[in-house]
Amino acid sequence: MIATVSAMGMTAFLGGCGSTGSSDVTLRLVAADYGDSAANSSQKYWDSLVKEYETTHPGVKVQVSVYSWNDVDRKVKEMVDAGHAPDMAQIGAYADYAAAGKLYAASDLLSIRTQADFLSQLADAGQWSHTQYGIPFAASTRVLFYNKTLFTSAGITPPTSWDELAADARALKAKGVKYPFALPLGPEEAQAETMQWLLSGGDGGTGGTGFTDEIGTYTIDSEQNVRTFSWLKDDLVAKGLTGPVAPGKLNRAQAFAAFADGQVGMVDGHPTLIQQAEAKGVRFGMVPTPSRTGRARASMGVSDWMMAFKQNGHADQIGDFLNFVYSEKNVLDFSRDYGLLPVTTSASNAMSASDAAPDKALHPFLDQLATSELYPVGKTSWASVSAAVKQNIGQAVAPGGDPAGVLTRLQATATAADSAAGTG
């Protein structure tokens, strides 16, 4: 979600060292790439981590395959469908595999100390049928990034409401800004941009419903959500305020890169954009994402998930490796490398207490995490619903598009997926 991604889609295989004869075990992990170039691919993180682990565990080898977020969920599904599940996968959703009985419960793998260290709202979100199968790996929240230089030139201030956002976008367009407001509804992470807008679409100070209501029933085509996407289509996209690339074809990585190049006035972003913008010398600010009325409402949180498949056995070795992965040091190293939020209490407390870079810049995101609303990842239907949103939501704001029709079709997809999964 959460998350910036690499277009490299590369695969790395990391060998182990040492041997203990018949006790040798090779673990296979498929992981997502959080980098935005070959230079900072997640391969480097896993390469270093695995090397350190294998040095003290000569009987265990870990092979890591790293794919872009455009490909990683599909790759894992193909492996599982072919009967060759990896030992571990670090991807975007877990519940469908849990419901199929393919995953180890977290309690089968992790020490009590490791389990107790996860932030409670993330551990709860990792439950299917009251048992935790999804192990949170990385988290983020969203804020509105704005280019201070472009705002000063246009004589405007950061928006707090949708009306102010549209007015700022018009002023930026008048100054020749290429993307007054970047709206990435492309297939890379459209479900995140969509949920952020749905949550901010409430009236009278109430938050939007997101994808589901309070009891977990899909409400994608609610009247409120239709109004939200009608506003996006009519007040932003149709007026040329979202840039030259159609939102349905604009991926988040492209939008972030354009912001880092000084071509974007505003974009909803997660913490990794800080590093990209700073690396290019962009002067930027961050404010809470505007809502319909400008009043307080829930913000969106995203967690990506680690899971372990039972097919190959190896529960003891998987658990030992994951206990190592989730040490305070390793969680902090990953979070700092990629500008993401720690998923454990110990690492979160350490980051909150630090005023050093990059920790201090992450404090606004960290403060929102405890009260944020996550995707309905505990629903076995969520993976297919998320995929449908990624592929189709851009049509809702396209020229001639019908927001109500698109959302109604997505609702039908969600309802059918829920029915097929046997979950509410």
Side-chain angles (χ1 to χ4, degrees):
M1 137 223 255
I2 214 193
T4 190
V5 300
S6 168
M8 301 300 291
M10 63 190 66
T11 304
F13 294 88
L14 308 177
C17 59
S19 173
T20 56
S22 62
S23 64
D24 280 3
V25 168
T26 297
L27 301 177
R28 294 181 300 149
L29 165 63
V30 176
D33 197 343
Y34 290 84
D36 60 1
S37 68
N40 71 344
S41 168
S42 296
Q43 150 125 29
K44 293 191 173 183
Y45 172 79
W46 289 111
D47 191 3
S48 174
L49 196 72
V50 167
K51 182 177 180 180
E52 181 181 354
Y53 181 78
E54 289 180 342
T55 297
T56 56
H57 297 77
V60 179
K61 298 180 180 180
V62 184
Q63 295 180 345
V64 182
S65 303
V66 177
Y67 296 94
S68 83
W69 274 106
N70 289 332
D71 301 318
V72 68
D73 291 292
R74 174 177 55 82
K75 290 287 187 181
V76 171
K77 185 178 186 302
E78 289 173 353
M79 294 172 71
V80 173
D81 289 348
H84 302 293
D87 295 285
M88 295 165 283
Q90 185 269 297
I91 52 178
Y94 66 86
D96 47 347
Y97 297 122
K102 296 182 181 296
L103 300 181
Y104 285 112
S107 59
D108 294 333
L109 305 168
L110 303 174
S111 70
I112 294 175
R113 180 177 180 177
T114 299
Q115 291 180 71
D117 198 25
F118 290 115
L119 295 170
S120 60
Q121 73 274 24
L122 299 182
D124 290 345
Q127 293 185 6
W128 178 82
S129 192
H130 309 294
T131 299
Q132 184 183 355
Y133 295 94
I135 305 170
F137 182 74
S140 69
T141 55
R142 297 293 193 268
V143 300
L144 182 74
F145 283 73
Y146 67 96
N147 185 310
K148 287 185 175 181
T149 301
L150 298 179
F151 266 58
T152 298
S153 175
I156 54 178
T157 57
T160 62
S161 69
W162 289 1
D163 286 345
E164 292 176 4
L165 186 149
D168 284 349
R170 290 192 295 270
L172 291 164
K173 182 182 180 183
K175 286 289 185 178
V177 175
K178 187 173 183 179
Y179 294 89
F181 181 87
L183 183 64
L185 293 175
E188 176 192 301
E189 207 191 16
Q191 82 285 4
E193 188 73 16
T194 297
M195 183 167 172
Q196 184 65 59
W197 281 99
L198 298 185
L199 287 174
S200 65
D203 293 318
T206 61
T209 61
F211 289 110
T212 59
D213 62 16
E214 295 83 357
I215 61 173
T217 302
Y218 283 111
T219 54
I220 298 173
D221 66 344
S222 70
E223 181 181 347
Q224 183 173 276
N225 290 345
V226 171
R227 287 203 312 270
T228 292
F229 266 83
S230 295
W231 185 88
L232 285 173
K233 177 179 181 292
D234 297 337
D235 288 59
L236 289 185
V237 181
K239 295 182 179 178
L241 302 179
T242 55
V245 179
K249 296 185 180 299
L250 182 67
N251 282 325
R252 186 168 300 279
Q254 296 169 270
F256 280 13
F259 186 88
D261 286 337
Q263 299 176 337
V264 174
M266 297 173 282
V267 65
D268 286 325
H270 50 67
T272 52
L273 184 53
I274 294 173
Q275 294 177 334
Q276 286 181 256
E278 288 179 341
K280 293 290 190 72
V282 173
R283 293 179 59 249
F284 64 91
M286 298 179 291
V287 295
T289 303
S291 63
R292 182 185 296 276
T293 62
R295 300 183 184 182
R297 79 281 173 264
S299 62
M300 187 189 72
V302 176
S303 180
D304 300 324
W305 304 95
M306 179 73 75
M307 62 209 71
F309 288 88
K310 295 191 295 187
Q311 179 178 328
N312 305 313
H314 305 153
D316 290 344
Q317 292 85 357
I318 292 170
D320 189 66
F321 177 66
L322 290 180
N323 283 324
F324 174 74
V325 168
Y326 284 101
S327 71
E328 180 181 329
K329 175 187 179 297
N330 289 332
V331 171
L332 277 171
D333 284 348
F334 177 84
S335 300
R336 288 164 173 164
D337 284 350
Y338 296 101
L340 292 165
L341 305 182
V343 296
T344 61
T345 299
S346 59
S348 294
N349 289 342
M351 182 174 282
S352 293
S354 170
D355 285 330
D359 295 350
K360 187 174 183 178
L362 294 173
H363 289 177
F365 300 91
L366 201 58
D367 291 343
Q368 292 188 86
L369 185 58
T371 57
S372 61
E373 182 171 331
L374 278 69
Y375 300 132
V377 290
K379 294 173 74 66
T380 55
S381 55
W382 171 241
S384 60
V385 173
S386 176
V389 171
K390 289 179 180 182
Q391 293 300 321
N392 297 293
I393 195 64
Q395 299 170 14
V397 298
D402 176 12
V406 171
L407 295 180
T408 296
R409 288 192 293 274
L410 287 171
Q411 177 69 30
T413 297
T415 300
D418 243 5
S419 177
T423 61

